[in-house]
Structures are given as C-alpha cells and as structure tokens.
Amino acid sequence: MEHLDTALDESCIIEEGSTSTGRMGRRSYDDTKEHKSKNLHAERRRRQKLSDRLLKLRALVPRITNMNKATIIEDAITYIQELQKNVKILQEQLCELEVEASSEVGEINPASKVKVEAAEEMKKSGIQVEVEVTQIDRDKLWVKVIFEKKRGGFTTLMEAMSAFGFEFINTNVTTSKGAMLVSSCVKGIYGEKLAVQQTRELLLQIINGVDQSNSEYC
Amino acid sequence: MEHLDTALDESCIIEEGSTSTGRMGRRSYDDTKEHKSKNLHAERRRRQKLSDRLLKLRALVPRITNMNKATIIEDAITYIQELQKNVKILQEQLCELEVEASSEVGEINPASKVKVEAAEEMKKSGIQVEVEVTQIDRDKLWVKVIFEKKRGGFTTLMEAMSAFGFEFINTNVTTSKGAMLVSSCVKGIYGEKLAVQQTRELLLQIINGVDQSNSEYC
DNA sequence: ATTGACACGTGAAGC
DNA sequence: TGCTTCACGTGTCAA
C-alpha cells in the first residue's frame, strides 16, 4: 500500500520532472536497450508464466462462465469451495457407514474371543492403552498408539485416519502380549496445520470404536 | 485510501495528459483526456478486482509456498488436484462400504478401482512387485514384500502368514505411490527351521491371492 | 549492481 | 460508435 502510494507519487513526480526528456526516451536508445531489455524479457516471461498457470487452472475447473482472467479465478474459487464441501460431506457419510459396518462386524465376527483373550493377556502383562501425539512439523505428526490386539484393528485404525485426511508417511506396528503398538508418522493431506489435542481425541475415539464395536466416533 | 490514490493518480494523469499532448506529437485529439481517464479508471478497477480474486483464492488454499501471483495460482492448481483426488477416493471408499454393507456378511475384500488406481500408479512409478526373504537366524527370517496397495492387503498378508505358523517379531509397513512395502522380522512359531525358498513362494502365493480379488463396480 | 516481482498507464482488439 | 479486456513496456522496490 505504501509502495503503491510512493510509486504513484514518485512516478507522478517523474512524469512532472521528466516530461521534457520524454517518457519514451527517444534520445537514449542504447541505454534503454541495455538495462531495460532484460527487464523486458523477464517481464515477458513472468507474464507468460502467469498466463500459463491461469490456463492450467481454467483447464482444471469444469464449469467456466467466461474466459476472463477474473472470472476464471472466481470460478476456481467457487469450485474449490464446492470440492471442500464435497469432501466434508463424503467424510461424514463414510464415517457413518464405517460405524455401521464396524458394529455389524463386531456382532458377527467370531474373533471376539481373540479380543477378550488379548485384553486379558494385555491386562495381565500390565500394558495400558495409550495414545501419544507429537508435532514434528507444521503439517506432520508422530503418533503412537497402544491398544488391544484385535482382528482388523490395525486396518480399522488406518482407514479411519485416512478418512479424516491423514496421509501415512511411515508406519510401524508391533504386537506383543496381546497388545498392538502402532507408531506412525502422519501428514495432513491438505498440508493444513494439525491440532495435536484434537488428533489425540480422534485417535482415542477410534480406539474405543475398535475395542467396543457399538460406539460411534463421528 | 483508495480515494487518496485515485486523487493522486488523477492529478498525475492530468499532468501527464497535459504534457502528453505535446509530448507525443501524434494525433492528440481533444478526447484524449476523457478517453484515457475512463480507460484508466476501468483498468484500475479491473486490476483491483483481479487482485482481490487472487487474494480470495490465496485465502482458500491452505498450503501456500510463496506470495507470488504465479505461485498462488500454482498452489491453487495442486490443491484442486488434491481435492479432486480425495473426492474420488472418498467416493470409491464410500461405494465400497455400501457394497460391503449391502452384500452378505462375512465376505471381505470387495475389490474396487482403488486397487486398479494403485496398480497404475505403482506401474507408472516404476515400482515392481518384489519378494525378498533372508535368513537371519535358525528360526528367524527377514521378509521384505512390495505389492499393490490395497484395502485390507496388509491384514490379509498378516493373517495368511500367521496361519502358516509365523510369529511377527516386528513389522514395518510403508505406502507410497500406490505401492505397499512390508518389511518384517518373523519367527517360526514352533522354532522349526525355516526354508527360505519355500517361504518366498508362500509369500508370492499370498500376494497373488491378494491381487486376485475380482472387480465389482458400484 | 543484479534480479524478480509488482502496479502502472496505454494502445489495440472484440462485442 | 462506446465499453471491456488484454498484452505490452516501463519505473520502482526489495532481496
């Protein structure tokens, strides 16, 4: 803003003062050709680059009302908003269905004995359910989870976290004495800043959903 | 502030206009001031509008590498691509779960486009299916497997190997570019001596079984 | 001093 | 004919 004012002001002054020399600089051709031609080329490239980007953007947006620059960006904005809304809705629907599916599986799955066994063995060994979330970057988290070893428990955890927009950089799973330890480096799939506490609660809910198939974690 | 700018600008233009009539020496009609000033205002509005749109766009994109115009649009492009991919994946997962819920219980592994996508992406990245087995002790093997990332693929692998009498000391799973790398240290559950080549063939069979789940469309 | 990015004013082209 | 949009060359600032 200050740049704008200053620039305007200065250009104005220059215009005033240098009107005699002329803005086009008719007399100094060599000077203009030297140090302005570079700027000219650079500016040309910059414009072309920006135009290309705009073209790509236009190619990505399905609904375009007009070919204008501003309208292209506007359509892109509305499209992004639509996409974000869609993702949100889809995540919710997916979560609902997952809860239903997990509850059904929990009823039918004959692995309940395994789970009970695992829980007993885990308890006997003094291993506690544990969730630990540490921020290691702006959009990366390190996650450590200990819970009762159960058929499909790992898969459920992975899928639930994927549904909530996490991307797995690396995952390590170890099972011992009826417990399952999952330590993972995850990344927000949109590059958004991740909330540690929120993620922790989410994980707890997921684990509870894994342990007792009737709870909902939406 | 805009008024200020405009005022400054206009005064400047007036200065320039008055001088330009004599400077250019061209056909300086009387409407030069009028026409130019109108075009100037319009152009100014256009630029400001475009800048505002760009600002809004920047506000919508979560991850911005740079404040440049071109990079803003570029980031918006990548963001849109991510969103599109996410919507696609979420829709497929949702579709999967719906099929799973509607179909009979007990049937697992509904194949979907996710696998095909993963296979394509994996192929495109030049990643090959790979199985490596190394003996690290009398009854311990180190196993490395690369195969197409697929829903439940890891679980299937684990369960199949468990069924064949392997105990998992430690397992590491990494997914990237449509491929899944599982490297694991396993132990014969009875302390038997393990045959490397036999284990390798077993793993290959398991992986083929994972891949072999047939396609169902939604 | 050099480079990249920006806003500016202006001429030209399309409705 | 006017109005709008675009690309251009340029001056200026910051790194």
Side-chain angles (χ1 to χ4, degrees):
Chain A
M1 310 169 183
E2 292 180 357
H3 312 295
L4 207 102
D5 296 346
T6 318
L8 277 174
D9 218 2
E10 283 182 359
S11 67
C12 184
I13 289 172
I14 285 172
E15 291 289 349
E16 284 182 12
S18 65
T19 41
S20 58
T21 67
R23 192 166 57 106
M24 280 306 192
R26 289 184 184 271
R27 61 175 184 90
S28 58
Y29 263 120
D30 44 350
D31 205 2
T32 41
K33 274 184 184 172
E34 271 199 34
H35 79 283
K36 307 233 167 136
S37 61
K38 300 170 192 170
N39 198 6
L40 188 133
H41 284 160
E43 182 65 14
R44 198 174 290 170
R45 283 177 204 167
R46 173 181 166 269
R47 255 187 302 238
Q48 190 178 351
K49 182 193 291 183
L50 201 141
S51 192
D52 287 347
R53 297 281 189 281
L54 225 68
L55 216 69
K56 282 188 184 176
L57 187 66
R58 189 192 56 171
L60 252 76
V61 177
R63 193 58 195 162
I64 304 159
T65 59
N66 206 349
M67 288 289 240
N68 297 339
K69 281 183 175 179
T71 49
I72 286 176
I73 300 185
E74 199 175 2
D75 292 338
I77 289 175
T78 60
Y79 183 53
I80 286 183
Q81 287 172 343
E82 284 181 7
L83 280 179
Q84 286 177 340
K85 215 165 194 170
N86 276 2
V87 167
K88 200 177 172 186
I89 291 176
L90 284 175
Q91 277 183 354
E92 287 172 2
Q93 288 184 0
L94 191 82
C95 185
E96 283 179 16
L97 275 186
E98 268 188 7
V99 169
E100 288 178 12
S102 70
S103 64
E104 285 180 9
V105 167
E107 286 177 6
I108 297 155
N109 213 351
S112 53
K113 299 175 194 169
V114 178
K115 198 199 92 183
V116 176
E117 276 181 15
E120 285 177 1
E121 192 178 357
M122 189 175 153
K123 204 170 182 179
K124 206 165 58 184
S125 304
I127 301 178
Q128 298 274 341
V129 172
E130 190 177 336
V131 172
E132 194 175 335
V133 179
T134 312
Q135 189 150 14
I136 61 176
D137 201 355
R138 188 185 172 278
D139 60 343
K140 290 198 188 72
L141 295 179
W142 178 74
V143 169
K144 170 186 165 191
V145 182
I146 299 179
F147 57 102
E148 298 165 8
K149 181 178 174 185
K150 190 200 161 202
R151 242 180 95 96
F154 176 76
T155 307
T156 306
L157 180 68
M158 295 292 108
E159 288 174 355
M161 289 189 70
S162 294
F164 277 94
F166 288 103
E167 182 184 352
F168 293 92
I169 307 295
N170 187 276
T171 305
N172 188 289
V173 49
T174 309
T175 61
S176 171
K177 298 177 182 175
M180 181 178 281
L181 160 64
V182 177
S183 87
S184 179
C185 172
V186 301
K187 175 183 159 194
I189 208 162
Y190 304 133
E192 293 166 349
K193 190 173 187 306
L194 299 171
V196 172
Q197 193 58 29
Q198 196 175 341
T199 306
R200 210 182 100 88
E201 288 170 6
L202 172 66
L203 286 172
L204 277 171
Q205 284 179 341
I206 293 174
I207 289 177
N208 285 333
V210 167
D211 284 346
Q212 37 184 334
S213 319
N214 55 353
S215 67
E216 296 185 5
Y217 50 87
C218 272
Chain B
M1 30 184 179
E2 293 176 0
H3 310 293
L4 259 170
D5 294 348
T6 317
L8 279 172
D9 210 11
E10 280 181 359
S11 65
C12 181
I13 294 307
I14 287 172
E15 289 287 347
E16 190 197 338
S18 60
T19 55
S20 71
T21 54
R23 168 176 62 92
M24 275 311 201
R26 293 190 181 209
R27 317 269 189 238
S28 60
Y29 304 112
D30 295 345
D31 64 337
T32 42
K33 308 166 199 166
E34 295 180 8
H35 173 262
K36 281 188 181 178
S37 65
K38 282 183 182 177
N39 195 8
L40 185 120
H41 279 155
E43 182 66 16
R44 199 184 184 84
R45 275 202 301 267
R46 171 181 167 271
R47 259 192 300 247
Q48 190 179 352
K49 182 192 291 182
L50 203 142
S51 193
D52 286 348
R53 297 282 189 281
L54 225 70
L55 217 68
K56 282 188 183 176
L57 187 66
R58 190 191 56 170
L60 250 77
V61 177
R63 191 65 189 163
I64 303 157
T65 58
N66 208 348
M67 287 291 235
N68 299 339
K69 280 183 175 180
T71 49
I72 286 176
I73 299 185
E74 199 175 2
D75 293 337
I77 289 176
T78 60
Y79 182 53
I80 285 183
Q81 287 173 342
E82 284 182 6
L83 280 179
Q84 285 177 339
K85 211 165 196 172
N86 278 2
V87 167
K88 204 173 170 186
I89 292 176
L90 284 175
Q91 279 178 349
E92 284 161 6
Q93 287 187 0
L94 197 75
C95 179
E96 260 183 47
L97 278 185
E98 280 179 359
V99 168
E100 192 175 325
S102 66
S103 68
E104 289 190 40
V105 288
E107 195 64 33
I108 46 173
N109 291 338
S112 72
K113 303 172 195 169
V114 176
K115 196 204 95 185
V116 178
E117 256 188 29
E120 284 176 2
E121 192 178 359
M122 191 175 153
K123 202 171 184 180
K124 206 165 60 183
S125 303
I127 302 177
Q128 299 274 343
V129 172
E130 193 177 332
V131 173
E132 195 176 334
V133 179
T134 312
Q135 189 148 16
I136 60 176
D137 202 353
R138 188 189 170 276
D139 59 345
K140 289 198 190 71
L141 295 179
W142 177 74
V143 170
K144 168 187 165 189
V145 183
I146 298 178
F147 57 102
E148 298 167 9
K149 181 180 175 183
K150 196 202 154 209
R151 246 179 95 94
F154 175 76
T155 307
T156 306
L157 181 68
M158 294 294 108
E159 288 173 354
M161 289 188 69
S162 294
F164 277 93
F166 289 104
E167 181 186 353
F168 294 92
I169 307 296
N170 186 274
T171 305
N172 187 287
V173 49
T174 308
T175 62
S176 170
K177 296 175 182 177
M180 181 178 281
L181 162 63
V182 177
S183 88
S184 179
C185 174
V186 300
K187 176 182 159 193
I189 206 163
Y190 302 129
E192 296 167 347
K193 188 175 187 307
L194 299 171
V196 172
Q197 192 58 29
Q198 195 175 341
T199 307
R200 209 182 103 87
E201 287 171 7
L202 172 65
L203 285 172
L204 277 172
Q205 280 182 343
I206 293 174
I207 290 177
N208 285 334
V210 167
D211 288 344
Q212 208 175 6
S213 56
N214 271 336
S215 61
E216 285 181 26
Y217 276 179
C218 301

